[in-house]
Amino acid sequence: MMSSITISPSISCTGAPIQTIDVDLLMVPWFEGEGPAAVPQLDAASHGEIARAIGSKEFSGRAYDFFVSTVGDSSWRARRIVLVGAGQRAIFGADSARRLATAVGLWGRQRRIPRVGFFLRTDIAGDTAELAQAITEGLILADFDAGRYKTKEHDILPAPTWTIVAANGEDAANRANAGVVRGQVLGDCTNLARMLGNEPSNTLTPREFAVQAAAIAGETGVQVEVLDEHQIARLGMGLLLGVARGSSEPPRLIVFRYEPPFAPPTPVLGLVGKGITFDTGGISIKPADGMERMKDDMAGGAAVSCAMRAIAMLQAPIRVVGVVPATENMPGGRAIKPGDVLRSASGKTVEVINTDAEGRLILGDGLWYARQLGATHLVDVATLTGACVVALGKITSGLFGTPPDWVEHVRRVADRAGDRVWPMPLFDEYREQLKSEIADFANTGGRPAGSITAALFLSEFTGGLPWAHLDIAGTAWLEESKPYLPKGPSGVAVRTLAELAFTKLEV
Ligand code: BES
Ligand code: MN
Ligand code: ZN
């Protein structure tokens, strides 16, 4: 299914003078309200075209607007300059640079420009390496093709060759280059997660998901172990097995270990991802409308698998374990039914009120297993609740967890990684909604605060460890194309999870 794992376009850095850059066109970010002299030499090279366009308001620097000018100056090797609107300077940072780069990447790719330069302005605030990393990630995100099963009328647009031009000379180019190397890995790994999310459930079964995830992470030195249904049964994972009962496809538990010799024994970051390769809802079946989207219900598991790859490639300084419970949620003849009681690997019992609340079930066993592997800090990622989409829409992932310092830490890392997240409360009073007459608790808590009660369910399996939960139900799949990201799978959380392994795990 996967032809090659690494698909990133070529990106290099240079600090050479602007006239000598040998590209077909040079992209230059431009802020709102800037005059033609904002970047020296450009207007002269355009023979006054830039001044004219700004004067006439044909181009104003509004985010994602483009203005193309030919280069009149024959001492330049680039034949065209393209100003790309960067919006307001005051709010521009690594996050906007990443988005701008994706817009630029899509523009260049759609026009089949072979060689594009990206001008890294010296007067943009922030660390050069960090900016170059974000730009690289953005350019690579533009190079994702979602149409792999099309047999005709499908132009596979090649990615341009990119040159990042550091305006400050060789020193800046070297600093930028460190960011490019990092950005390339994180961009590639995000695209791999998008590829997995895009894959239909008839090809990406739980077994195939395990094969793919093992290839993605295993290639880089992560130890990968795939447990089959018998091993899962021996571990007593009644929640994962319960969900898997309705399907003819057996479940898998995908386990990753990154334990480099130079890493101290603790902390151990534990990443857990929801790996439902298709969610019909089970006996509490979903309506037909939009159900095809539920092939992406393994986006959290894809994020964990692909983050593990990045973590190993970039040689994170700490130990990391990953756990992805993978199964279909189907309404087969042996499927669990509302009212059934399941026993988790941790020993706690659950009354299944709604078989469509399956993500929290498999994650309960997954979180428990991450603890058995020695995790000291937990983060789980899941397309968990429609209620989270109601609360935060499709822009922002819900962030839950405990204690507040750990949640805040994850929030900051996500911010830097370009994954929009926002904290949601886990007040104890909400727990009442999960009361069951027959078992320790129920798997649903009714409509009010649906994303919060789902998170509270998960908290029953975290053993009191620092734990953060990302509900990516709204953000894993873009329904509409944005200038800065095409529609389809987003690869959300890959970079956040990977970057976490490079931070000091406080608390
Ligand atoms: N996978 C869904 C959540 C989801 C909804 C993801 C929309 C992406 C887009 C999850 O398994 C689910 O079905 N949740 C139920 C829970 C309910 C039965 C308590 C939901 O949100 O409706
Ligand atoms: Mn469901
Ligand atoms: Zn689901």
Side-chain angles (χ1 to χ4, degrees):
M1 182 192 100
M2 212 161 26
S3 36
S4 79
I5 284 183
T6 304
I7 25 89
S8 87
S10 131
I11 304 179
S12 58
C13 283
T14 177
I18 198 164
Q19 305 90 318
T20 66
I21 312 296
D22 193 13
V23 290
D24 298 299
L25 59 80
L26 183 66
M27 290 278 187
V28 183
W30 207 268
F31 295 109
E32 274 173 30
E34 288 190 316
V39 177
Q41 303 182 43
L42 280 195
D43 186 43
S46 79
H47 281 184
E49 264 297 287
I50 291 175
R52 187 199 54 75
I54 290 172
S56 69
K57 299 206 163 63
E58 179 183 341
F59 178 75
S60 67
R62 200 176 57 183
Y64 313 121
D65 274 0
F66 288 84
F67 174 72
V68 186
S69 166
T70 53
V71 173
D73 185 336
S74 60
S75 70
W76 276 55
R77 300 184 79 171
R79 290 330 313 149
R80 277 172 290 168
I81 292 168
V82 179
L83 304 188
V84 48
Q88 292 172 41
R89 179 191 281 273
I91 55 169
F92 194 87
D95 190 38
S96 16
R98 188 183 292 102
R99 291 172 173 223
L100 191 74
T102 305
V104 162
L106 292 168
W107 194 96
R109 200 169 148 233
Q110 276 150 10
R111 287 164 186 75
R112 299 171 178 277
I113 318 278
R115 301 169 311 156
V116 187
F118 191 105
F119 189 73
L120 191 57
R121 288 176 55 165
T122 50
D123 56 343
I124 294 180
D127 179 70
T128 306
E130 214 173 293
L131 265 177
Q133 179 187 328
I135 289 166
T136 303
E137 289 169 7
L139 292 175
I140 291 179
L141 293 181
D143 186 32
F144 176 75
D145 183 40
R148 68 178 302 169
Y149 291 103
K150 289 179 189 284
T151 59
K152 52 183 178 194
E153 290 164 35
H154 181 50
D155 279 346
I156 293 186
L157 297 168
T161 299
W162 295 97
T163 306
I164 294 182
V165 182
N168 250 359
E170 287 309 323
D171 229 38
N174 286 337
R175 266 178 288 136
N177 199 56
V180 169
V181 170
R182 208 179 158 77
Q184 214 142 13
V185 171
L186 292 166
D188 277 344
C189 290
T190 308
N191 280 349
L192 284 169
R194 292 163 84 190
M195 179 207 71
L196 289 172
N198 198 43
E199 200 58 35
S201 76
N202 59 334
T203 56
L204 201 80
T205 59
R207 282 179 293 174
E208 182 60 17
F209 185 19
V211 169
Q212 298 289 329
I216 285 171
E219 202 189 57
T220 61
V222 175
Q223 293 174 54
V224 188
E225 198 185 346
V226 178
L227 307 191
D228 66 16
E229 62 274 32
H230 310 292
Q231 293 164 297
I232 294 169
R234 252 175 268 137
L235 287 168
M237 295 191 165
L239 302 184
L240 175 55
L241 286 177
V243 174
R245 279 181 69 90
S247 172
S248 307
E249 288 289 341
R252 289 292 180 262
L253 188 75
I254 316 169
V255 182
F256 307 95
R257 287 190 188 81
Y258 170 74
E259 292 166 341
F262 51 79
T266 58
V268 180
L269 178 61
L271 308 178
V272 181
K274 172 174 173 181
I276 295 289
T277 59
F278 196 85
D279 183 9
T280 66
I283 295 300
S284 316
I285 199 162
K286 287 180 182 295
D289 208 29
M291 203 205 271
E292 71 282 358
R293 269 278 327 282
M294 286 300 130
K295 70 175 182 179
D296 185 42
D297 211 18
M298 34 54 70
V304 167
S305 310
C306 298
M308 291 303 302
R309 177 181 172 89
I311 285 165
M313 286 183 82
L314 298 172
Q315 302 208 359
I318 60 166
R319 293 178 180 231
V320 185
V321 297
V323 177
V324 177
T327 176
E328 295 185 329
N329 185 23
M330 296 283 285
R334 296 172 56 79
I336 49 167
K337 302 168 286 300
D340 287 2
V341 175
L342 302 176
R343 181 180 299 272
S344 69
S346 74
K348 294 185 179 183
T349 56
V350 180
E351 181 184 8
V352 177
I353 301 295
N354 189 317
T355 65
D356 198 9
E358 84 297 341
R360 61 196 79 182
L361 295 174
I362 69 169
L363 288 170
D365 280 341
L367 286 163
W368 172 83
Y369 197 62
R371 284 195 280 136
Q372 309 311 300
L373 295 174
T376 58
H377 295 70
L378 296 167
V379 182
D380 78 78
V381 186
T383 45
L384 202 63
T385 65
C388 192
V389 191
V390 173
L392 295 173
K394 296 176 182 252
I395 306 291
T396 310
S397 306
L399 172 63
F400 307 75
T402 175
D405 287 353
W406 174 239
V407 178
E408 174 58 16
H409 183 69
V410 174
R411 193 193 65 74
R412 283 204 196 139
V413 173
D415 243 22
R416 244 192 301 127
D419 289 319
R420 295 240 192 290
V421 305
W422 201 255
M424 300 277 279
L426 286 183
F427 298 121
D428 233 27
E429 290 89 328
Y430 290 110
R431 268 182 215 279
E432 268 177 40
Q433 289 175 235
L434 291 174
K435 277 206 173 121
S436 163
E437 296 291 326
I438 189 172
D440 292 335
F441 34 83
N443 78 328
T444 60
R447 280 172 68 84
S451 67
I452 295 175
T453 52
L456 281 172
F457 181 96
L458 298 180
S459 75
E460 294 286 347
F461 299 92
T462 59
L465 290 179
W467 155 71
H469 155 62
L470 285 169
D471 192 332
I472 58 167
T475 51
W477 191 277
L478 266 81
E479 222 79 61
E480 283 165 47
S481 285
K482 311 271 185 198
Y484 52 84
L485 205 62
K487 63 179 165 191
S490 68
V492 65
V494 172
R495 295 188 306 275
T496 297
L497 296 182
E499 294 276 22
L500 262 174
F502 293 85
T503 61
K504 194 164 168 291
L505 304 191
E506 320 273 348
V507 193

